[in-house]
């Protein structure tokens, strides 16, 4: 499922039990409702696991404070299901904003060139590691 308009593109794919969401373009006031609605939709689909979520923002060109709220909301939703949100984010202005706002302390960040590394390990409470 893809969502595209003039300034924002959102897509998702399942990968080894994780839900990978790709965002490209501007996360701004003009696209404010899109990321929240999209993340709610894809994490609510049958078979998806909202506790195993990775959002790739490496192709985001701008992000305002309201959209940081959408990322934090995704973090809270994953936490409600016993999981954790992971971000893929390059060095630059967005990573700086994540540092300044403290969001980076709550949400693990991976650099884009590490995307081919194994996905984050994840063990749900009450489950034994294999």
């Amino acid at each position: 499922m893809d969502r595209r308009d003039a300034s924002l593109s959102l897509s998702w794919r399942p990968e080894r039990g994780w839900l990978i969401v790709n965002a490209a373009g501007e996360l701004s006031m003009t696209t404010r409702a899109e990321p929240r609605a999209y993340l709610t939709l894809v994490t609510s689909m049958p078979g998806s696991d909202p506790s195993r979520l990775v959002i790739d923002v490496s192709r985001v060109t701008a992000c305002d404070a309201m959209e940081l709220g959408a990322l934090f909301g995704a973090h809270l939703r994953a936490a409600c299901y016993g999981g954790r949100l992971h971000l893929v984010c390059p060095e630059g202005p967005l990573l700086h904003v994540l540092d300044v706002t403290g969001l980076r302390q709550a949400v693990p960040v991976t650099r884009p060139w590490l995307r081919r590394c194994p996905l984050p390990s994840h063990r749900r409470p009450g489950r034994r590691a294999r």
Side-chain angles (χ1 to χ4, degrees), residues 104-123:
R104 188 172 178 189
Q105 292 176 341
V107 179
V109 175
T110 302
R111 299 297 192 284
W113 57 86
L114 298 177
R115 279 185 287 195
R116 295 206 171 121
C117 290
L119 290 169
S121 63
H122 178 78
R123 191 170 73 97

Side-chain angles (χ1 to χ4, degrees), residues 48-69:
S48 70
D49 185 350
S51 72
R52 297 172 59 93
L53 180 63
V54 175
I55 301 177
D56 185 342
V57 293
S58 60
R59 297 184 327 169
V60 168
T61 57
C63 182
D64 68 17
M66 294 300 289
E67 297 321 310
L68 287 177

Side-chain angles (χ1 to χ4, degrees), residues 40-107:
T40 299
L41 175 70
V42 298
T43 57
S44 300
M45 293 174 54
S48 70
D49 185 350
S51 72
R52 297 172 59 93
L53 180 63
V54 175
I55 301 177
D56 185 342
V57 293
S58 60
R59 297 184 327 169
V60 168
T61 57
C63 182
D64 68 17
M66 294 300 289
E67 297 321 310
L68 287 177
L71 294 176
F72 189 70
H75 160 69
L76 292 177
R77 183 175 176 100
C80 284
Y81 286 92
R84 198 167 194 188
L85 167 68
H86 296 264
L87 290 176
V88 176
C89 183
E91 289 288 336
L94 182 53
L95 188 61
H96 178 72
V97 170
L98 294 174
D99 282 334
V100 170
T101 61
L103 190 56
R104 188 172 178 189
Q105 292 176 341
V107 179

